[in-house]
Amino acid sequence: MKNINKYKLFAVAFTALSLASCNYEEINTNPFEMTEEEGVMDGIAMGGLVTAMEKSVFPTGTQADDTDPVNAYQTAYDLSANAWSGYIGINNTFEGGNCHLNYVIVDSWVKTTFSNSYTNLLDPWKKLTASAQDNDTPELAALAQILKISGWHKVLESFGPIPYTQAGQGTINVPFDSEEVVYTEMLKDLASAVEVLTPKAVSGVKVMADYDLVFEGDATKWVKYANSLMLRLAMRIRSVKPELSKQYAKLAVEHSIGVMTDAGDAAGAGPGAGISLRNPMFWLADNYNDSRVGTTILSYLLGYQDPRLSAYCQPANSLCTVAVQAYDGKSYQGVPLGHLFTRSDASSTEYDSYYYYSKPNIKAETPLYWMRASEVYFLRAEAALFWGGEFGDAETLYKQGIETSFQENGVSGSVDDYMSSGKTPAANKVAGKYGFDFSAPCQVTPEFSGNQEEKLEKIIIQKYIALYPNGQEAWTEFRRTGYPKLNPIVQGGNHNSSIDNVRGIRRMSYPVSFNGTDQSKEIYQDALNKLGGPDNAATDLWWAKKN
């Protein structure tokens, strides 16, 4: 009762904070934000801000939010990272083919990526942090910090340098920090948040349980997630800052509460705190009929005879005559990246319409996951592979990652048999005007064998399968490691010739509005100096220059 009353006091003590007006903040208005007067009147000011942040890490919403979050998710992630990673194929073309799907950056789309996972989190984070300080509730500031980093690291890994150390300080134009600085500060901030939340977790204290859509106030799960996120970011910089990477990876896994280990530890926006969120990927596939399964993920699932196949993919419609029969007796087909099919072509008899190809097997109530325990096992396996026994045994952790992914997806099967099968990814060929001819992306088996680099490839391949459908993380890991090998963009479209067909899009260019005024131009140029290359989609980010 004491803790509940403490949070209720926020509604009385809460005062308006002035918003910083800077170019990157003005990109979009937070669609989930209430006025201070409404929050105070209803007594939910702080809780509403927590909910708003959770709905903005990846754009998602309730039925009452209508299709605004769906549209935001589509332009921010489905038409970019989900497609670039080979997870999702788009059953349509946009902008006359001059769009992300043909390696042409669309300014309004990248603006949505920045707005939804950066700008929409900025103001709630500032308000929560200020009110937590005023009311001596550091656990709320810690929660806000974790939520902020959950969204901002995706923006960092999409664009490069972002405002971080001076964000929210009320200046007109905020300088961008280098990627190295942002990673360092994010890791420090996560460690501090864990330090604050750990005693609350040990004492069984709930943090904003009535408004927390992710863990319903469970501080122990928030600590596990924060440690796991710390491990993810630490491994991201393993090749460029190995000592810092190892320091924080060790801090995460050796913590008294530790990292995610069970399927039930998963973090994501779904049904929680009495609110039912709607997965935007379901809406895009079943209502917009824009999203289908990508060809790359199918190559691995079909070739490995992976038991997760039916958990991830619906069989192709019976009208699809080019579907491939799988080990389960059902037939599947994926849509390639880079085609120029439009719905006006659907009456053509020259080919099979992409409309009938396999949909992602995602329901409206499926949580939109940010991170799951299987990913954490693969992160630990990589740490053990490069740093030895203090992180555990790499093969054991690799196997646990596969086992946990099976559990997370409700599938059964012998992991030992799966690993020793000797199977390799499948080739895929479809004839016709809009067909494609993809050889197998690689000849790698699931068995944990070979030299260090070969084992790393196996770890990342299995992580890639386990991450589905989180294309943002899969695209990021592909750029970091070069794995898994992806099916290339199909030839003949309106392709951006400056983008290598094998390496693909390396980053998003900044929204044009970042270079709009004299002062913002100066800050923009400084950001490019820190980026270390031109503001285009072919420039490698700091942590991805090896591959």
Side-chain angles (χ1 to χ4, degrees):
M1 184 64 69
K2 180 179 179 182
N3 290 308
I4 295 175
N5 289 337
K6 197 175 189 180
Y7 288 118
K8 284 185 176 178
L9 287 174
F10 286 163
V12 179
F14 184 71
T15 56
L17 297 175
S18 60
L19 292 176
S21 64
C22 48
N23 291 332
Y24 66 88
E25 288 184 80
E26 293 171 355
I27 288 176
N28 198 16
T29 299
N30 188 342
F32 307 117
E33 184 183 340
M34 70 186 74
T35 66
E36 281 89 353
E37 292 80 4
E38 291 170 338
V40 171
M41 179 181 65
D42 295 336
I44 60 170
M46 295 301 98
L49 294 174
V50 170
T51 303
M53 291 188 79
E54 292 177 344
K55 292 166 73 175
S56 294
V57 170
F58 278 120
T60 186
T62 66
Q63 185 173 354
D65 294 314
D66 200 22
T67 57
D68 286 345
V70 177
N71 296 339
Y73 182 87
Q74 181 177 38
T75 54
Y77 293 104
D78 211 51
L79 294 174
S80 54
N82 288 355
W84 296 334
S85 66
Y87 278 170
I88 295 297
I90 305 300
N91 177 39
N92 202 352
T93 193
F94 296 86
E95 307 288 332
N98 295 305
C99 66
H100 288 10
L101 305 177
N102 279 294
Y103 292 164
V104 178
I105 295 297
V106 180
D107 183 64
S108 62
W109 294 3
V110 296
K111 187 183 295 185
T112 306
T113 305
F114 201 101
S115 297
N116 280 277
S117 292
Y118 186 98
T119 312
N120 288 358
L121 289 163
L122 176 62
D123 187 52
W125 164 69
K126 289 192 299 182
K127 292 177 179 178
L128 286 168
T129 301
S131 291
Q133 183 175 357
D134 291 344
N135 293 278
D136 190 25
T137 53
E139 64 272 20
L140 184 58
L143 176 59
Q145 192 76 284
I146 296 167
L147 290 171
K148 179 192 76 173
I149 295 170
S150 296
W152 284 17
H153 88 83
K154 298 198 302 294
V155 178
L156 173 70
E157 289 152 1
S158 294
F159 294 92
I162 61 171
Y164 191 85
T165 59
Q166 298 184 56
Q169 293 187 6
T171 56
I172 298 300
N173 287 280
V174 181
F176 286 50
D177 294 297
S178 70
E179 295 167 77
E180 180 176 356
V181 167
V182 179
Y183 277 107
T184 301
E185 294 305 314
M186 282 185 173
L187 290 167
K188 289 179 182 177
D189 288 342
L190 284 171
S192 296
V194 167
E195 185 176 0
V196 169
L197 287 176
T198 297
K200 304 297 181 183
V202 172
S203 301
V205 172
K206 297 284 186 178
V207 182
M208 302 303 285
D210 292 340
Y211 306 100
D212 176 10
L213 307 176
V214 181
F215 294 129
E216 297 188 318
D218 189 328
T220 297
K221 288 192 174 182
W222 276 112
V223 170
K224 285 186 176 183
Y225 168 60
N227 279 326
S228 300
L229 183 57
M230 188 193 307
L231 178 61
R232 175 195 276 178
L233 299 185
M235 297 310 294
R236 193 84 79 224
I237 61 173
R238 176 182 60 78
S239 295
V240 289
K241 292 285 287 188
E243 292 184 4
L244 186 68
S245 174
K246 184 177 180 181
Q247 173 191 341
Y248 280 98
K250 193 171 182 179
L251 184 65
V253 300
E254 292 184 353
H255 183 266
S256 58
I257 292 176
V259 295
M260 295 175 174
T261 55
D262 301 312
D265 292 334
I275 300 175
S276 295
L277 295 180
R278 190 170 55 182
N279 191 312
M281 297 188 74
F282 161 79
W283 200 263
L284 292 172
D286 277 52
N287 290 278
Y288 288 9
N289 270 308
D290 282 339
S291 287
R292 295 294 183 265
V293 173
T295 59
T296 296
I297 186 65
L298 266 181
S299 290
Y300 287 93
L301 294 171
L302 291 170
Y304 288 150
Q305 297 190 4
D306 197 296
R308 290 164 287 190
L309 173 62
S310 61
Y312 287 176
C313 313
Q314 297 181 30
N317 188 287
S318 60
L319 295 175
C320 178
T321 61
V322 295
V324 177
Q325 187 172 31
Y327 73 93
D328 61 1
K330 301 173 184 177
S331 296
Y332 302 84
Q333 191 52 269
V335 173
L337 180 67
H339 65 80
L340 289 179
F341 164 80
T342 64
R343 287 183 181 148
S344 62
D345 297 326
S347 61
S348 172
T349 58
E350 294 182 37
Y351 65 96
D352 220 44
S353 168
Y354 292 150
Y355 179 89
Y356 299 120
Y357 287 22
S358 295
K359 294 180 180 180
N361 192 12
I362 297 172
K363 306 295 189 295
E365 65 275 12
T366 302
L368 191 58
Y369 289 113
W370 307 344
M371 195 171 199
R372 303 175 87 176
S374 54
E375 178 192 345
V376 179
Y377 279 113
F378 293 119
L379 290 166
R380 292 169 62 189
E382 180 181 344
L385 179 66
F386 284 89
W387 295 321
E390 60 187 313
F391 285 92
D393 178 71
E395 182 172 6
T396 300
L397 291 163
Y398 172 81
K399 181 178 178 180
Q400 286 178 301
I402 299 172
E403 288 175 334
T404 304
S405 181
F406 283 11
Q407 293 165 8
E408 289 167 343
N409 290 286
V411 303
S412 58
S414 168
V415 176
D416 288 327
D417 289 347
Y418 177 83
M419 289 175 60
S420 63
S421 68
K423 298 188 181 303
T424 59
N428 195 357
K429 182 176 182 178
V430 171
K433 181 179 179 181
Y434 293 97
F436 46 87
D437 187 0
F438 296 137
S439 59
C442 65
Q443 295 296 317
V444 178
T445 70
E447 182 183 6
F448 197 71
S449 59
N451 60 33
Q452 187 180 66
E453 189 66 22
E454 289 167 338
K455 288 178 179 177
L456 175 64
E457 182 174 10
K458 292 170 186 282
I459 289 171
I460 302 301
I461 286 173
Q462 288 303 318
K463 186 201 289 189
Y464 174 82
I465 298 172
L467 280 169
Y468 181 86
N470 185 352
Q472 177 67 26
E473 187 61 23
W475 173 53
T476 300
E477 285 294 81
F478 166 73
R479 289 176 292 153
R480 177 178 75 92
T481 66
Y483 305 125
K485 302 300 182 184
L486 307 179
N487 287 337
I489 191 169
V490 294
Q491 299 302 305
N494 299 342
H495 299 170
N496 181 345
S497 60
S498 69
I499 305 300
D500 185 279
N501 284 344
V502 174
R503 301 180 78 241
I505 292 276
R506 307 305 290 179
R507 62 178 290 272
M508 295 178 178
S509 55
Y510 290 118
V512 171
S513 58
F514 282 14
N515 194 20
T517 67
D518 288 342
Q519 189 171 8
S520 66
K521 285 179 180 178
E522 182 178 341
I523 291 174
Y524 169 77
Q525 187 57 55
D526 180 60
L528 295 193
N529 292 338
K530 291 169 180 172
L531 175 66
D535 186 13
N536 61 40
T539 296
D540 281 310
L541 296 181
W542 170 62
W543 43 267
K545 292 184 178 180
K546 176 185 173 184
N547 294 289

